[in-house]
Amino acid sequence: LFRPIILSTIPTIEKIITAPNLEDNSKDSTREKIGDKIELFSILASEAPENAKALLESVKDPKLIRILQYAIKRLALKQKLYGE
């Protein structure tokens, strides 16, 4: 049940991840948005890895690239520790 819901929301998830909304915010707001992008990318990578790969390859913003690379490292560590 979860997978069809995720697959139907991929375009929305991708728009949220790539939204240029990290500037002109308070530090707390920026941290929250970065956390949201990391969590959404982690879900995308787990449920639709090809979409996550394509999204990462399409991103041009260096800051967003670093955020997504961090998400990948975090996922790899989680998989290593918990075998998920």
Side-chain angles (χ1 to χ4, degrees), residues 73-84:
K73 289 177 186 176
R74 195 176 101 172
L75 274 172
L77 179 60
K78 183 178 177 183
Q79 290 172 346
K80 186 176 181 180
L81 291 174
Y82 302 109
E84 296 178 354

Side-chain angles (χ1 to χ4, degrees), residues 52-69:
K53 182 179 178 184
L55 178 71
L56 183 59
E57 291 172 354
S58 72
V59 171
K60 304 295 183 230
D61 177 11
K63 186 173 186 174
L64 184 55
I65 291 170
R66 287 191 304 275
I67 290 167
L68 299 182
Q69 288 172 337

Side-chain angles (χ1 to χ4, degrees), residues 12-24:
T12 303
I13 291 171
E14 291 173 340
K15 284 181 186 177
I16 294 169
I17 293 169
T18 59
N21 60 354
L22 297 177
E23 304 300 324
D24 302 323

